[in-house]
Amino acid sequence: MRKLPSLNGLKAFEAAARTGSFSEAASELGVSSAAISRLVRLLEERLGVMFFERGANRLTLTAAGLAYQRGLTPLFDGIAALTAQVTSPARASALTVGIGPTFAVRWLIPRLGDFRAREPGIDVRITMGGAAADFADDWTCGVKLGDGHWPDLVAEPLFRAELTPVCTPAMAERLRASGDLDPGALLRVSHSPDDWRIWLRAAGLADVRAQ
């Protein structure tokens, strides 16, 4: 069974510690400064710990008070966020993005902070596998490599991708002309089976067949 201090006392202390003032805490919580002071004093007495050193015109947190405030503030922030999450009518505004894991980590996720700042009412959900998987019915949109010609879907280009062949240094020593390419040594990824055909054609090496 949990043994918790008075919630009103915790709220009063956290607000006073965070703002550094009984009066500012009182304004935030909609009570009087005297009420904040009394609640904090009762909390200190019940816990047997001094949270503030009280001066003439200022409050100074003790080491215990600073530690307590640093722990309480994220908890209260979490309660506020959870309450907003379960009560907000905008919960239906969800954007589900199907995307490949590498592209998500390197391109999409670093940009989510700016998007959420502009559109705080939209809940962004990421489902991995977009580069290789077919578009799913529960996706709002997806990021996929291809020519953009997909039936019943609207495609908008993000940017062009560059195809660059790579090989080991030892193999590079043997490649001096197009005829040196070994079709049996060309590796392909399952979600882009035409990459070699596209690159070979662009490089004027259509005589080399990608197996």
Side-chain angles (χ1 to χ4, degrees):
M1 182 176 179
R2 293 191 183 100
K3 293 184 179 180
L4 299 177
S6 164
L7 180 57
N8 285 336
L10 292 178
K11 289 168 57 180
F13 162 73
E14 190 277 334
R18 176 168 40 81
T19 62
S21 166
F22 283 163
S23 61
E24 289 189 31
S27 177
E28 179 178 307
L29 297 179
V31 296
S32 67
S33 297
I36 295 292
S37 178
R38 180 173 178 276
L39 286 169
V40 172
R41 177 68 72 183
L42 287 173
L43 181 66
E44 290 176 322
E45 291 175 355
R46 288 171 182 171
L47 298 182
V49 179
M50 292 298 295
F51 292 134
F52 290 106
E53 294 177 358
R54 295 162 172 81
N57 295 306
R58 68 174 185 170
L59 293 174
T60 302
L61 281 167
T62 63
L66 180 60
Y68 207 33
Q69 183 261 320
R70 285 177 173 173
L72 284 175
T73 295
L75 295 178
F76 280 121
D77 288 343
I79 292 172
L82 180 61
T83 302
Q85 181 180 2
V86 300
T87 60
S88 173
R91 287 284 295 163
S93 299
L95 180 67
T96 303
V97 184
I99 190 170
T102 300
F103 194 78
V105 171
R106 296 190 176 184
W107 189 87
L108 179 62
I109 292 175
R111 290 167 170 78
L112 283 182
D114 290 340
F115 178 81
R116 284 170 176 157
R118 294 195 302 268
E119 302 291 344
I122 297 179
D123 181 16
V124 179
R125 303 168 186 172
I126 299 174
T127 176
M128 298 298 183
D134 292 331
F135 284 91
D137 292 337
D138 59 345
W139 292 4
T140 308
C141 62
V143 179
K144 193 172 180 67
L145 184 65
D147 57 12
H149 298 298
W150 296 297
D152 302 321
L153 295 172
V154 176
E156 294 289 343
L158 285 177
F159 41 73
R160 299 177 66 88
E162 295 184 0
L163 290 177
T164 303
V166 295
C167 65
T168 65
M171 181 176 288
E173 290 294 328
R174 303 194 301 268
L175 298 179
R176 301 300 181 186
S178 61
D180 296 335
L181 282 171
D182 179 4
L186 303 183
L187 302 179
R188 296 181 297 175
V189 292
S190 60
H191 62 270
S192 300
D194 294 329
D195 280 358
W196 273 115
R197 178 180 56 81
I198 295 171
W199 184 86
L200 290 168
R201 179 185 301 169
L205 303 176
D207 56 318
V208 178
R209 293 174 58 85
Q211 302 296 319

